[in-house]
Amino acid sequence: MKITRRRLLGAAAATGAMAALPRMSFAATTMTLGAAEIDTLSDGHLVLPASFVSPDPQATEILTGFGITTPQVEAPCNVTLLRDGTHTVLFDVGAGPDFMPTAGKLSAALDALGVTPEDITHVVFTHAHPDHLWGVLDDFDEPLFANAQHMMGKAEFDFWIDPAAAETLDEGRKVFAAGALRRLQVLEDRLLTFSAETEILPGIHAHASFGHTPGHMAFEIRQGNAACMIVGDAIGNGHVAFAAPGLIAGADQDPETGIATRQALLDRLAVSQMPMIGYHLPDGGAGRVERADGAYRFTAEL
């Protein structure tokens, strides 16, 4: 497995059409697994209440240890792009323009790599929260990735396509359900659902990682003896989730299931030393899990 890192600077100047946009930087990590090249692309970041990390007072102490003392945290958003010569696969599609002004930058990141929406053959969703799904439609509410087969775990799709989903969420997240329902209704005729523990595309295996949402999936990309795990939001940050994985995560819909999933994933990744990509992890999201002080830590060293 060959691994390098690169910074793509000045993506706004990559084409004349974007020259008037602000200069931006997009972190990209390249991993070569056999014939597959994997890049992580920045969709920007979210600004969230610290309680979204965890409402537990212990989380405040951990965040302080990482130099985070504000009532809000910034969460990077890392979209994964896989190209194997046959398939060009996006894992999640970012937030689009309607969620937060600090996010929705995926199109510029793709431009910086010379990839167009028409090049994408498959869009695979870890789950249907706004920062992972809402970038799927264009300005005319048509699928942005018009040539792509869209794919989502069946349990996840069934939850969000149900108009009653909003009734199960707290007031602040009801907009999540409305936004997911609108987009999934547009995609329904071109969206393929799948079960956990199946190979959804050659070399891509879906693993149940429920808790953050009812049908959240992680994806193991394997080429021969080399592999990488895309964990989505099952491991939701680079600090508290590693240092105290048994704490409730404020962003999880089913916190207790989320804890069990997180602990199992961290243990597996620490033992196997399989590289991982996390949607909200720092430095482009790619790295490894190490055991540390009775818990874990994230390292961007690949």
Side-chain angles (χ1 to χ4, degrees):
M1 176 174 62
K2 179 182 177 183
I3 302 172
T4 60
R5 289 188 181 275
R6 65 176 182 264
R7 302 293 299 184
L8 300 180
L9 300 176
T15 65
M18 296 180 64
L21 295 179
R23 185 176 178 84
M24 304 184 72
S25 172
F26 302 97
T29 301
T30 299
M31 290 186 282
T32 302
L33 304 180
E37 182 179 25
I38 302 170
D39 292 289
T40 65
L41 304 179
S42 176
D43 190 54
H45 67 275
L46 305 182
V47 180
L48 301 169
S51 60
F52 259 56
V53 174
S54 176
D56 192 294
Q58 185 182 344
T60 302
E61 298 177 16
I62 295 169
L63 289 172
T64 299
F66 279 84
I68 302 171
T69 59
T70 59
Q72 295 180 319
V73 296
E74 291 189 1
C77 298
N78 307 299
V79 174
T80 300
L81 174 72
L82 178 148
R83 290 173 286 181
D84 64 7
T86 301
H87 302 115
T88 300
V89 185
L90 271 182
F91 293 87
D92 297 325
V93 295
D98 299 328
F99 187 49
M100 284 190 185
T102 55
K105 317 302 183 186
L106 177 60
S107 291
L110 286 169
D111 283 344
L113 278 188
V115 177
T116 70
E118 292 75 24
D119 293 333
I120 305 302
T121 62
H122 296 80
V123 171
V124 179
F125 296 103
T126 60
H127 64 297
H129 274 172
D131 51 322
H132 298 255
L133 171 67
W134 284 19
V136 78
L137 302 183
D138 64 18
D139 293 340
F140 302 96
D141 277 355
E142 295 292 335
L144 176 61
F145 306 98
N147 298 330
Q149 171 71 71
H150 294 63
M151 307 176 76
M152 181 179 287
K154 187 175 187 306
E156 186 75 359
F157 177 81
D158 288 348
F159 176 81
W160 294 103
I161 200 68
D162 184 352
E167 299 171 12
T168 69
L169 302 174
D170 61 47
E171 195 62 37
R173 301 190 201 192
K174 291 188 185 302
V175 66
F176 291 12
L181 177 62
R182 180 168 75 82
R183 289 161 177 84
L184 292 178
Q185 285 176 332
V186 173
L187 295 175
E188 190 166 8
D189 290 342
R190 64 174 68 208
L191 192 145
L192 179 68
T193 61
F194 54 86
S195 300
E197 316 315 319
T198 57
E199 185 178 50
I200 63 168
L201 287 168
I204 302 176
H205 297 258
H207 296 298
S209 50
F210 304 159
H212 183 67
T213 60
H216 187 288
M217 293 284 185
F219 299 97
E220 181 178 347
I221 302 171
R222 183 168 290 278
Q223 295 273 324
N225 293 326
C228 173
M229 185 75 76
I230 297 172
V231 303
D233 284 7
I235 303 172
N237 58 74
H239 29 67
V240 175
F242 289 81
L247 294 186
I248 286 174
D252 287 352
Q253 288 179 229
D254 181 345
E256 294 303 325
T257 300
I259 288 171
T261 292
R262 184 162 53 253
Q263 290 176 323
L265 262 177
L266 286 167
D267 185 65
R268 175 181 179 181
L269 292 167
V271 169
S272 69
Q273 281 299 287
M274 183 190 301
M276 63 173 290
I277 298 172
Y279 198 82
H280 295 302
L281 300 188
D283 298 315
R288 296 183 192 269
V289 179
E290 297 179 346
R291 296 192 186 277
D293 302 323
Y296 307 90
R297 69 174 168 229
F298 172 72
T299 173
E301 295 298 324
L302 288 167

